[in-house]
Amino acid sequence: MVSPELSHSQSSSMVKSKNRTSWSLTDGFLYLCGAFLALLLVWCFWSFFIPGSDFEPEVTGSSKLKDSQSCADSGMGVDLGYDPKATTFYDDPEMSYSIEKPVKGWDEKRKEWLKHHPSFAAGASERIVLVTGSQLKPCKNPIGDHLLLRFFKNKVDYCRIHGYDIFYNNLLLHPKMHTYWAKLPVVKAAMLAHPEAEWIWWVDSDAAFTDMEFKLPLERYKNHDLVVHGWPRMIYQDKSWTSLNAGVFLIRNCQWSMDLINVWANMGPMSPEYEKWGQIQKSTFKDKLFPESDDQAALIYLLYKHRDKYYDHIYLEGEFYFEGYWVEIVGGYDNITERYLEIERGVPKLRRRHAEKVSEQYAAFREEYLKEAGNGRGSWRRPFITHFTGCQPCSGDHNQIYDGKSCWGGMIKALNFADNQVLRKYGFVHPDLRNSASVSEAPFDYPAEEGPW
């Protein structure tokens, strides 16, 4: 508000000054106002253009939704806070998660859900949910619970590095589907719980990731719906119970897989013909060790007896350790470690410290130097998954061809071998793979110089 004196003085140039004191007050007032406006302008520009400003206007309602969507657009992930009211299969009271009730029209239902959740569309074809689990009760083996915890940590580490979700189950989702059959109800439930995922990846509790950088070659499996470690010759010529291993498998989230799980599960304990299926499997696969029907023999039987129906859908991965028998792997960890360190001593970019989130870039750098490493038995490439088949960490039981100490010692060595690959991102290493408690700080530019590693 302008003072009367100022207004009057501007209305008549004839009046020079009637009150010099009032003029001084007016000048001071104008000066202060101008200074305040100038400071306000500077502050506004500072707030808008200087990163890291603490000023943040409060937003509510739809403004928050828009902000979360912008985070997704900027690469921070899908929109986890958006679920529209549109009807989907989740609203169907007839839809059941139970292994006993088949799901029909799953491809269409999943497609409809994705249409209503567009933020999940990007990268959907490569989205994986890893599923694993163990028993409900404490282990009989004194170190069993500790080992299972470390196996689970190993899987969590791998999933965190590669951006996969993980679900750990320790319940029987069907009371009759116990032991190795317990995985099928969980896998089916995971498919329904995760329509955003293209693949469900089952990994047994006694299997450890021992190459934390390696990723599944999904492009190789684009025309298949199930991936297992196996060999066609052993199925169709040898008719062997060990022609594939069902402890680790990758299954596409689609109707074909739903149908397979239904047929597969009906050879298990929930079937009234469970005993008969055991007899059929035992007579078909002469090297099967026990009379009960099991999930592995059941899958091999379907491939053997119904090749036309199943073979083209199933990829038998035998080019790398999709899961590898621990007995032929564990003894090579020290040599593999040394070969990788030798490469790093000669390649500075592989020694460079980096954030865990960008580990995949350094894995790609390393591939150039692993061309001669080979894959599988006799290779010095890190085995992708080491599977302790025949060792049961929780019960303490094991195959009689080796003793318990070799099982548990091998597990510790495998878990530390994998853990070293993770610890490097945090600045530490296990100098001795046999000693979990030993840990040393990795010096800058490790392992450029020779050291006690």
Side-chain angles (χ1 to χ4, degrees):
M1 182 176 183
V2 182
S3 66
E5 290 85 358
L6 180 57
S7 177
H8 178 74
S9 69
Q10 289 176 333
S11 67
S12 176
S13 59
M14 298 294 293
V15 181
K16 302 294 183 181
S17 175
K18 291 186 176 180
N19 191 329
R20 302 186 67 88
T21 303
S22 66
W23 270 103
S24 298
L25 290 171
T26 301
D27 288 343
F29 182 77
L30 284 173
Y31 177 81
L32 289 172
C33 287
F36 175 79
L37 288 173
L39 287 171
L40 183 63
L41 285 172
V42 170
W43 181 81
C44 288
F45 277 102
W46 183 276
S47 299
F48 278 102
F49 294 107
I50 301 300
S53 171
D54 291 332
F55 172 74
E56 184 178 47
E58 182 180 355
V59 293
T60 58
S62 60
S63 296
K64 284 186 176 179
L65 176 59
K66 290 179 181 178
D67 187 62
S68 67
Q69 289 172 334
S70 69
C71 286
D73 293 341
S74 66
M76 292 182 67
V78 295
D79 188 351
L80 300 178
Y82 176 70
D83 190 21
K85 294 181 179 180
T87 300
T88 69
F89 67 91
Y90 287 116
D91 301 296
D92 179 3
E94 299 300 316
M95 192 276 288
S96 174
Y97 293 85
S98 171
I99 192 73
E100 293 189 273
K101 297 182 179 180
V103 173
K104 299 298 181 184
W106 178 235
D107 291 340
E108 292 74 21
K109 292 173 180 176
R110 183 171 167 245
K111 183 177 180 181
E112 182 72 10
W113 187 91
L114 286 168
K115 184 180 76 173
H116 293 302
H117 298 79
S119 73
F120 288 91
S125 63
E126 295 188 354
R127 192 168 291 123
I128 293 173
V129 173
L130 190 145
V131 181
T132 187
S134 61
Q135 75 304 315
L136 173 62
K137 297 180 180 179
C139 293
K140 294 179 181 178
N141 183 0
I143 62 170
D145 290 308
H146 169 73
L147 289 171
L148 288 181
L149 176 63
R150 294 220 37 204
F151 272 109
F152 180 52
K153 175 194 177 298
N154 168 265
K155 296 175 179 66
V156 171
D157 284 340
Y158 182 84
C159 289
R160 184 184 64 256
I161 289 169
H162 296 287
Y164 300 151
D165 286 332
I166 184 169
F167 174 61
Y168 188 95
N169 177 68
N170 67 343
L171 300 171
L172 292 180
L173 299 190
H174 188 286
K176 292 184 179 180
M177 297 291 275
H178 46 73
T179 59
Y180 26 76
W181 288 102
K183 68 186 73 168
L184 295 185
V186 183
V187 168
K188 180 199 172 178
M191 291 168 70
L192 293 171
H194 289 278
E196 82 286 356
E198 182 70 11
W199 297 97
I200 303 297
W201 191 4
W202 173 265
V203 181
D204 273 357
S205 61
D206 61 354
F209 289 95
T210 42
D211 188 344
M212 305 303 279
E213 293 180 340
F214 187 83
K215 291 185 70 175
L216 289 171
L218 294 179
E219 180 65 21
R220 184 185 301 182
Y221 312 138
K222 64 181 180 182
N223 296 321
H224 299 82
D225 300 313
L226 176 68
V227 184
V228 292
H229 197 204
W231 302 268
R233 179 187 59 79
M234 292 184 68
I235 296 174
Y236 298 106
Q237 295 180 29
D238 302 341
K239 292 193 291 184
S240 173
W241 177 63
T242 60
S243 55
L244 61 79
N245 190 294
V248 178
F249 61 82
L250 184 73
I251 190 165
R252 192 182 297 277
N253 196 356
C254 66
Q255 185 62 50
W256 181 90
S257 301
M258 288 288 190
D259 294 340
L260 171 67
I261 288 174
N262 185 51
V263 174
W264 194 357
N266 275 293
M267 299 170 78
M270 74 178 198
S271 169
E273 299 183 322
Y274 175 56
E275 186 176 339
K276 185 191 79 172
W277 279 118
Q279 296 170 356
I280 292 173
Q281 293 169 11
K282 189 76 168 64
S283 64
T284 304
F285 310 115
K286 304 300 183 183
D287 59 347
K288 181 171 162 59
L289 300 176
F290 48 90
E292 294 83 14
S293 173
D294 69 275
D295 64 319
Q296 182 166 299
L299 182 58
I300 299 170
Y301 183 85
L302 291 175
L303 272 167
Y304 178 72
K305 284 292 186 179
H306 305 283
R307 181 170 184 166
D308 292 344
K309 184 175 182 179
Y310 293 107
Y311 185 75
D312 288 344
H313 288 268
I314 300 176
Y315 194 102
L316 297 171
E317 181 60 86
E319 295 186 27
F320 64 92
Y321 277 128
F322 188 80
E323 60 80 41
Y325 184 36
W326 68 276
V327 172
E328 64 185 49
I329 291 175
V330 170
Y333 288 146
D334 292 316
N335 179 58
I336 293 170
T337 298
E338 182 52 40
R339 295 296 293 267
Y340 275 64
L341 291 177
E342 184 180 343
I343 291 172
E344 292 184 17
R345 289 183 188 113
V347 184
K349 69 179 178 181
L350 292 178
R351 300 196 303 269
R352 185 188 178 199
R353 291 175 175 175
H354 57 271
E356 186 179 65
K357 282 293 185 184
V358 296
S359 295
E360 290 187 358
Q361 175 178 322
Y362 291 84
F365 289 161
R366 195 186 308 278
E367 277 301 311
E368 178 185 348
Y369 304 94
L370 297 176
K371 293 177 181 178
E372 304 301 321
N375 267 305
R377 182 179 291 185
S379 166
W380 54 267
R381 179 188 287 267
R382 293 169 180 159
F384 183 36
I385 293 180
T386 302
H387 193 183
F388 286 83
T389 306
C391 297
Q392 297 180 29
C394 193
S395 68
D397 296 335
H398 53 85
N399 193 310
Q400 295 306 307
I401 64 174
Y402 33 76
D403 61 39
K405 289 183 178 180
S406 62
C407 281
W408 325 138
M411 289 177 178
I412 292 298
K413 193 172 181 181
L415 292 165
N416 288 338
F417 177 77
D419 204 33
N420 262 352
Q421 299 166 47
V422 178
L423 281 176
R424 278 284 297 276
K425 312 300 187 299
Y426 295 82
F428 293 86
V429 290
H430 292 292
D432 182 359
L433 298 182
R434 298 160 188 81
N435 185 354
S436 301
S438 70
V439 62
S440 300
E441 184 176 1
F444 182 77
D445 208 27
Y446 169 83
E449 302 295 334
E450 293 292 339
W453 38 76

